[in-house]
Amino acid sequence: MKKKFIPLLIVGTALLAGCNQEQSTDTTSSVTPAATAIDKADAIAVINGQYIPRSTLEALEKEIAERSHGQVFPKEKLIEELVQRELLVQDAVQKQLDKSPELAAQLEAAKKALLTQANLQNFIKANPVTDAEVKAEYDSKIAAEKGTEFKARHILVKTEAEAKKLITELGKGADFAKLANKNSLDAKESQNGGDLGWFSAAQMVAPFSEAVAALEKGKYTKEPVKTQFGYHVILKEDSRPVTPPPLEAVKEQLTPFLQRKKVQDMIETLRKQAKVEILVPLTDEQPKAEAAPAVEAPTTTAAEPAKAVEGEEAVPAAEPAKADEPAPVAVPAETKK
């Protein structure tokens, strides 16, 4: 069955716009008035004397393949798309649309965004993350985290007296999970019996993790454990040694982390070397309360008709505005996207 192709100019507006906005490629050369000179041998078409470079078509083919999940468009369709775009650009320039202040501001913003991305890509290319750096990060942050994980439940209450009462009930044989569901600030809604799952000591506040570590398996705290959250009764269910994952298993997570760290360090260096002056307040000012008038203004009756000069008819006062007809509000100009 023969495939039907819808013109890309219609279905791919956002797609093709994204190609120009998100990537700094040669595709801009066919839509920029001050394009770099192109040899005819390196062009795929010429429109009113303006060449479209072959690299533009190649970039478009790659972009279409990535964004349309492998869907393939015939080359003549892609070339026609580029021809139509060039015609629209030339027509816009002829109408001097590129001279408008609003479009000039948008083009300048787009230029800065592209330069920002180009600079970051250039830095990453020149400063790749090495295997030695990944290994050093692994050794210091992951392999060094040897220790113990704990599995526990807890009951969190507001007062020490409440916690002691619960400990007394546990001593009489009460079920820990049921007490947690009924009394714990952490378990009343979730009804999970105060289960905390597996966690390392570093994941909990110090008083809590120290109390868990000191408990024997299957035992609960005989005294309430106080933290900034309240008072805890803790049941230690199990413990196990922590085995760090192998380097190869976490390498793909460590590499982008180290890459972002390098970029952040570079930006911080630029910030320290630059002379920066902030010209606006860093916090929004609170509106000042409107002061009451020192002297009360004399009241006048708006509806009272003006007194007529002797011999003339009384002129009625202007009719007051109706309560259900609000005063007109100025409509702001549409914000440019």
Side-chain angles (χ1 to χ4, degrees), residues 148-155 167 176 196 199-202 204-227 230-239:
T148 304
E149 282 186 330
F150 305 101
K151 190 175 188 300
R153 295 178 184 268
H154 81 138
I155 305 173
I167 291 172
F176 193 98
L196 296 170
F199 58 89
S200 66
M204 300 295 179
V205 292
F208 191 99
S209 58
E210 290 168 2
V212 174
L215 283 171
E216 294 181 21
K217 180 179 176 179
K219 301 294 183 180
Y220 59 87
T221 51
K222 302 300 183 181
E223 293 293 332
V225 178
K226 183 181 179 182
T227 71
Y231 291 85
H232 306 259
V233 181
I234 307 169
L235 169 65
K236 181 177 180 178
E237 294 187 319
D238 205 351
S239 62

Side-chain angles (χ1 to χ4, degrees), residues 3 17 21 24 31 33 40 61 82 90 98 110 113 130 153 170 176 180 194 213 229 241 261 279 304 325:
K3 294 182 179 179
Q21 292 175 0
S24 177
V31 296
K40 187 174 182 179
E61 288 175 330
L82 293 174
Q90 292 184 16
D98 57 325
T130 65
R153 295 178 184 268
L170 288 170
F176 193 98
F229 305 105
K261 188 174 183 299
L279 302 177
E304 183 181 355
E325 294 180 6

